[in-house]
Amino acid sequence: MDDKKKKIVTFIGTLFVAIMFVGSYAAFNNNSGNSSTSTATTTVQGGATYFVSGNANAVVIGYSQLATISLESNSSALSSRASNELAQLQNNGSISNYVAQGNGFQIFTQNMNAYRLQQALVSKLGGSNVSVNASTSFSLPKILPLIYRNQIVDVKLTNTNFTAPTSPLQDIGSNVTVIVHALVYANGDIYNNQITITT
């Protein structure tokens, strides 16, 4: 084989190798790109939670329409008096309905909130004879100084309105002291925005 033919064969071989190299490089880059776009992301958790509790000043902002009356004795006379008073309140539209339940009644209020119902029954039946319970809506401050192992933690509320059953009831707008329990993160954020209130 003369030199001219050798040069042609060498050139063709070199060109073939170059084409294979470029093709392999392009395929590698394409696979690499697909790999980066399908990388899974990891969700960062909020970290450890801590149980905190303490007192807080709350404002009464409303009551549920369902209230429960408990009579302090099994006297049939007292039960009859209570039933008569509730019938009058239903007739004038203050309550929508009432149902006897155990040693008391369940009442559905209408134009009278649960606090006013309590006051009306206490004035007619006597404070020692009757108690009224209802779910109370409270408004709390946006930041609560609660306690974790004798240390104060400023707990931040994203929702400041909460409910809890109470008795005796306070007038709307009244300031009351409530006990708050919560699980919080180290930065003071509430876990799942859930707290427990007792009075």
Side-chain angles (χ1 to χ4, degrees):
M1 184 181 291
D2 58 19
D3 290 339
K4 187 175 182 180
K5 288 183 178 180
K6 286 182 181 179
K7 287 180 181 179
I8 291 173
V9 170
T10 303
F11 174 75
I12 292 173
T14 304
L15 184 61
F16 180 75
V17 171
I19 291 171
M20 288 179 58
F21 176 78
V22 170
S24 298
Y25 181 77
F28 175 78
N29 276 349
N30 189 38
N31 288 339
S32 176
N34 287 341
S35 176
S36 65
T37 56
S38 63
T39 301
T41 57
T42 302
T43 302
V44 178
Q45 300 299 320
T49 56
Y50 306 90
F51 178 78
V52 295
S53 61
N55 294 336
N57 292 321
V59 178
V60 177
I61 59 174
Y63 289 102
S64 62
Q65 286 191 291
L66 176 63
T68 302
I69 292 177
S70 297
L71 300 178
E72 300 306 319
S73 74
N74 291 322
S75 166
S76 59
L78 178 60
S79 180
S80 178
R81 287 173 57 200
S83 183
N84 290 337
E85 294 299 331
L86 291 173
Q88 291 183 29
L89 292 173
Q90 184 179 30
N91 289 336
N92 65 27
S94 296
I95 64 174
S96 61
N97 200 5
Y98 65 97
V99 179
Q101 185 181 52
N103 194 37
F105 299 86
Q106 277 196 334
I107 300 98
F108 298 88
T109 61
Q110 188 166 327
N111 295 322
M112 167 185 279
N113 65 43
Y115 171 75
R116 300 297 179 192
L117 171 65
Q118 171 188 264
Q119 298 307 98
L121 293 177
V122 165
S123 70
K124 296 292 186 179
L125 304 177
S128 61
N129 291 324
V130 62
S131 62
V132 179
N133 183 288
S135 182
T136 306
S137 296
F138 297 102
S139 178
L140 294 171
K142 290 184 177 180
I143 297 179
L144 299 177
L146 301 180
I147 306 297
Y148 171 73
R149 292 186 178 178
N150 298 321
Q151 297 182 6
I152 295 177
V153 178
D154 285 333
V155 175
K156 295 170 284 187
L157 301 182
T158 54
N159 174 27
T160 58
N161 294 342
F162 295 89
T163 60
T166 57
S167 182
L169 308 180
Q170 304 294 324
D171 199 2
I172 293 176
S174 299
N175 292 301
V176 295
T177 300
V178 296
I179 303 170
V180 179
H181 305 282
L183 283 177
V184 300
Y185 296 113
N187 64 358
D189 289 342
I190 296 179
Y191 171 74
N192 210 23
N193 197 39
Q194 292 184 346
I195 68 174
T196 301
I197 297 177
T198 55
T199 56

